[in-house]
Amino acid sequence: APQVQAEPLPLPSVSASAAVLLRADTGSVLYAHDAETERPMASTTKIMTALLTLEAAEQDDRVITVTDEMVRVEGSSMGLQAENALPLSSLAKGMLLASGNDAANAAAIAVGGNTEAFVEQMNARAQELHMMHTHFVTPSGLDAEGHVSTALDMAKLGAAALENEAFAGIVREKQLAVPFVKPEQTISYSNHNK
């Protein structure tokens, strides 16, 4: 039989400074561009925060009363105010849909007791997931010295997070009703991610 010479496919063009495409089931890398350079990971930090929050909610989706300390954070917000009360799962929804720094901070304090202890949990899970070039300093992704990851490590985290049914269910929705206990209401949040 005649030999067929396959033409190599051109590499994709990406505008991102770092990118990786991996198979979630095997972890094998199909494409990489500067995928192991450490850089700040901004709000994608909330993937880890939301995952740990949803795992805690799986054990006990307790109602959290928001304190001033929890909402004393800059940047994007789900609109929490002190004295609001809502389940842990609602905090995860607020950080994934509205990129709520307030939700991430509130969840970190509720789950970890304080943000420092929660960040230790984040770093422990990063090690379990073999995210060897990742170090978390904040639960929200606000810039902080030493708060870094790589495209490859974040892809590993994304694959692990999507194995969590609650996480996958939240991020697949374009809009989601998020229940509050105090005041007793439901607020609809839109997912602006692609």
Side-chain angles (χ1 to χ4, degrees):
Q3 293 229 338
V4 178
Q5 195 67 29
E7 286 292 316
L9 289 172
L11 291 175
S13 172
V14 295
S15 60
S17 53
V20 67
L21 175 65
L22 61 75
R23 283 188 53 155
D25 57 350
T26 65
S28 63
V29 174
L30 304 174
Y31 169 78
H33 168 69
D34 208 14
E36 296 189 64
T37 299
E38 293 180 4
R39 58 186 78 233
M41 61 286 210
S43 280
T44 58
T45 298
K46 294 184 187 89
I47 298 170
M48 179 66 87
T49 305
L51 177 60
L52 294 178
T53 301
L54 289 166
E55 288 173 349
E58 218 172 89
Q59 303 303 311
D60 177 16
D61 197 12
R62 63 192 188 279
V63 172
I64 304 305
T65 299
V66 176
T67 65
D68 284 324
E69 179 192 14
M70 290 175 172
V71 294
R72 205 177 304 126
V73 63
E74 61 189 64
S76 54
S77 164
M78 73 176 286
L80 294 178
Q81 297 177 357
E83 301 306 317
N84 284 162
L86 65 171
L88 272 177
S89 58
S90 288
L91 291 173
K93 291 170 185 172
M95 68 183 92
L96 290 173
L97 297 170
S99 193
N101 291 345
D102 52 354
N105 208 46
I109 293 169
V111 173
N114 58 58
T115 54
E116 294 79 9
F118 186 80
V119 166
E120 285 181 22
Q121 292 178 27
M122 296 171 76
N123 285 315
R125 178 57 63 83
Q127 289 300 304
E128 286 173 23
L129 295 173
H130 305 289
M131 297 170 67
M132 306 315 289
H133 298 282
T134 298
H135 181 71
F136 293 105
V137 177
T138 73
S140 62
L142 288 171
D143 271 348
E145 180 87 22
H147 188 83
V148 294
S149 188
T150 66
L152 179 58
D153 280 1
M154 293 308 289
K156 291 175 184 176
L157 174 58
L162 287 172
E163 288 178 12
N164 181 287
E165 284 181 30
F167 186 100
I170 293 167
V171 298
R172 83 166 56 103
E173 297 297 330
K174 290 189 174 172
Q175 196 150 19
L176 204 58
V178 177
F180 282 64
V181 174
K182 183 181 174 189
E184 193 174 333
Q185 63 182 351
T186 301
I187 299 178
S188 185
Y189 292 93
S190 295
N191 187 348
H192 299 291
N193 301 299
K194 290 182 180 175

